[in-house]
Amino acid sequence: MSHTALSKWQGIKQVVVVGLGVTGLSVVKHLQSLPYDLTIKVIDTRAQPPGIEELGASIEVHIGSWNTDWLLQADLVVTNPGIALATPEIQAALEKNIPVVGDIELFSWAVNAPVVAITGSNGKSTVTDLTGVLAKSAGLNVGVGGNIGVPALDLLNDSVDLYVLELSSFQLETTSSLSLKAAAYLNLSEDHMDRYQGMDDYGQAKQRIFLHAETAIVNRDDLATYPSNSIPTLSFGFDEQDFGVVWLEAQEYLSKQGQPIIAVADLSLVGRHNLSNSLVALALLDCVGVPLEKVAPALKTYTGLTHRCQLVADNNGIKWINDSKATNVASTLAALSGLQLEGQLHLLVGGVGKGADFSELAPVLETLNVQLHCFGLDGDAFLSLHHSAKRWNDIEEIIKNITPTLTRGDAVMLSPACASFDQFKNFMARGDEFTRLAHLYAGLSS
């Protein structure tokens, strides 16, 4: 146990974990593993919180409502990132000077190996996954997770050489001690306006990634990504500075300081946004001393994340693309910018809009040969964006009706620009359903 961890835990006896699920369970498990005499209690306002059956009998649980008495008696509150700090019950604890942290803060107290982290409105899952894949290809033992896949606390292991974390603004709100070899802030676009007071508020939460970072990796085309504190920066973009692109003998290359690393034509990833994602992954690895020539072969073969511009079927030249992870407007715009189509695009949009303005999609849709199919809770908000827009109840109704009209060169893409919680457990379940239906109605075995 490090000296930092010992000092952080001094005087803490009563710990209240707020919110169960995968993250909450990882917190409880971590707390139980510590060599301290801690009393752990769990609060979840849901009547049947996921994971409750996995808690041991020694853990006191309060479900179905808040328990303010427990919160105000705690020495430490560990809250789930899905719970806003503005929640009155959490505010009551803060007003009593009771520390309120998240799982990433606990991770920062315990971690002993180098960490790099990625935040941003869009692209962070691809960058996180890609960075992990490339680091593993260079022979490192890598722990990849955070807001993607495995909770950070479940990654802790003495044999790990490098941790690669995706961090959401929600996680960063409750993190103040995380030391990073490099922190990448990819972009800032409208999202989660149901949680934040505005874009400044949202952007400031993401800026917290730079609090204890040795190097900031920023987007040359998005000044919001530059650190407000004075730390060294590396930038990425589509010119020859820092990490960028160069043209040599009529061929485009990803580059570092104008020196070519890998030909763009050799990449398996599709779309200009994935060139940016690749540049960030290379910059992160460069910051931890991984030789870039060593990871080039793995970068060539990387095909991307499930649910992110993922080709799930190709039936007689009709492409079915699962982009269910596009839960906001900017993600859908990025997906559309990377498309090259011979025929018509059938674009499926809708779900829970989170208070977003979808009008940015209209001018882009106008340039495409597209049929717009709107579904879900906020499907009506898309109807005015394009003259082809039709309203449907759900994804199956759309696919069942359009499949007989499809011809070679057409594409069907789920890129909803919305969250999934009206009709699905999460975006993964939505993408899996789209994939199942694509195989079913296209007559392919799944």
Side-chain angles (χ1 to χ4, degrees):
M1 187 61 62
S2 70
H3 176 72
T4 302
L6 287 169
S7 64
K8 293 288 187 184
W9 286 104
Q10 199 165 6
I12 294 176
K13 298 289 184 190
Q14 301 270 348
V15 184
V16 174
V17 178
V18 181
L20 266 172
V22 175
T23 302
L25 284 172
S26 76
V27 169
V28 171
K29 184 173 139 192
H30 175 70
L31 293 171
Q32 290 176 314
S33 75
L34 296 173
Y36 309 121
D37 184 21
L38 300 174
T39 301
I40 306 164
K41 296 180 178 179
V42 174
I43 298 171
D44 197 302
T45 59
R46 294 169 288 189
Q48 287 295 323
I52 190 168
E53 67 285 346
E54 295 182 46
L55 292 178
S58 63
I59 306 286
E60 273 194 87
V61 182
H62 179 96
I63 59 173
S65 64
W66 287 95
N67 187 324
T68 309
D69 286 345
W70 280 10
L71 286 174
L72 299 182
Q73 290 161 10
D75 300 311
L76 179 71
V77 173
V78 186
T79 186
N80 189 285
I83 297 163
L85 287 179
T87 304
E89 291 80 4
I90 299 294
Q91 283 295 310
L94 288 168
E95 283 163 15
K96 273 199 71 177
N97 293 319
I98 297 166
V100 176
V101 303
D103 67 312
I104 303 301
E105 181 67 6
L106 294 188
F107 173 89
S108 76
W109 297 357
V111 69
N112 289 315
V115 186
V116 297
I118 301 98
T119 197
S121 300
N122 298 294
K124 56 186 179 292
S125 294
T126 297
V127 173
T128 303
D129 185 65
L130 175 57
T131 304
V133 167
L134 298 185
K136 286 172 189 171
S137 77
L140 296 182
N141 189 350
V142 190
V144 180
N147 193 49
I148 175 181
V150 181
L153 289 168
D154 286 351
L155 296 172
L156 287 169
N157 190 304
D158 288 341
S159 68
V160 171
D161 302 312
L162 176 69
Y163 293 95
V164 182
L165 299 184
E166 175 185 320
L167 299 179
S168 70
S169 57
F170 297 171
Q171 289 171 312
L172 288 165
E173 287 174 22
T174 53
T175 303
S176 54
S177 308
L178 183 62
S179 293
L180 299 171
K181 294 295 287 183
Y185 187 168
L186 306 182
N187 45 56
L188 183 68
S189 61
E190 187 179 69
D191 199 4
H192 305 301
M193 290 300 104
D194 51 348
R195 170 117 164 201
Y196 292 104
Q197 292 169 5
M199 289 294 287
D200 285 348
D201 189 26
Y202 175 39
Q204 284 306 310
K206 290 196 172 295
Q207 279 283 335
R208 294 178 64 84
I209 197 168
F210 296 134
L211 284 175
H212 304 287
E214 289 181 24
T215 303
I217 296 168
V218 299
N219 184 340
R220 285 198 288 279
D221 294 324
D222 191 341
L223 289 177
T225 65
Y226 281 67
S228 49
N229 58 348
S230 55
I231 59 172
T233 61
L234 280 173
S235 66
F236 65 92
F238 293 123
D239 56 30
E240 296 188 13
Q241 300 174 56
D242 284 357
F243 284 82
V245 296
V246 293
W247 285 86
L248 291 171
E249 297 175 359
Q251 187 157 212
E252 191 177 23
Y253 289 81
L254 302 184
S255 63
K256 175 191 172 186
Q257 307 294 355
Q259 296 302 306
I261 300 168
I262 185 171
V264 169
D266 290 342
L267 299 177
S268 301
L269 285 168
V270 175
R272 298 297 289 179
H273 62 293
N274 276 323
L275 298 189
S276 285
N277 293 337
S278 300
L279 290 169
V280 177
L282 292 170
L284 285 164
L285 293 172
D286 195 53
C287 286
V288 293
V290 174
L292 300 186
E293 64 275 8
K294 207 168 178 180
V295 303
L299 181 53
K300 286 181 185 179
T301 57
Y302 182 78
T303 55
L305 277 175
T306 307
H307 308 295
R308 192 72 185 97
C309 288
Q310 179 198 14
L311 183 67
V312 294
D314 189 337
N315 175 36
N316 298 320
I318 300 164
K319 290 181 164 50
W320 300 77
I321 302 163
N322 169 20
D323 192 40
S324 183
K325 199 172 190 311
T327 58
N328 57 39
V329 174
S331 280
T332 297
L333 286 170
L336 294 174
S337 74
L339 279 182
Q340 294 174 316
L341 288 178
E342 298 167 23
Q344 187 170 59
L345 172 65
H346 290 264
L347 179 62
L348 281 58
V349 293
V352 181
K354 299 179 286 184
D357 175 8
F358 300 112
S359 61
E360 257 188 285
L361 288 168
V364 178
L365 293 172
E366 207 53 50
T367 66
L368 299 171
N369 179 10
V370 66
Q371 282 268 351
L372 194 63
H373 303 283
C374 315
F375 68 96
L377 182 68
D378 290 326
D380 287 352
F382 294 86
L383 291 173
S384 63
L385 301 182
H386 196 264
H387 60 84
S388 70
K390 292 183 183 177
R391 185 67 159 97
W392 307 88
N393 291 317
D394 54 36
I395 292 172
E396 182 162 16
E397 187 182 18
I398 297 169
I399 292 177
K400 182 179 179 180
N401 279 276
I402 67 173
T403 302
T405 73
L406 301 173
T407 58
R408 175 176 287 276
D410 288 352
V412 182
M413 181 164 75
L414 171 68
S415 188
C418 287
S420 57
F421 304 121
D422 54 338
Q423 296 181 335
F424 298 94
K425 182 181 175 184
N426 50 41
F427 75 81
M428 294 86 83
R430 178 172 63 187
D432 289 342
E433 175 67 354
F434 173 81
T435 302
R436 182 187 75 81
L437 293 167
H439 284 245
L440 176 68
Y441 285 97
L444 302 172
S445 58
S446 49

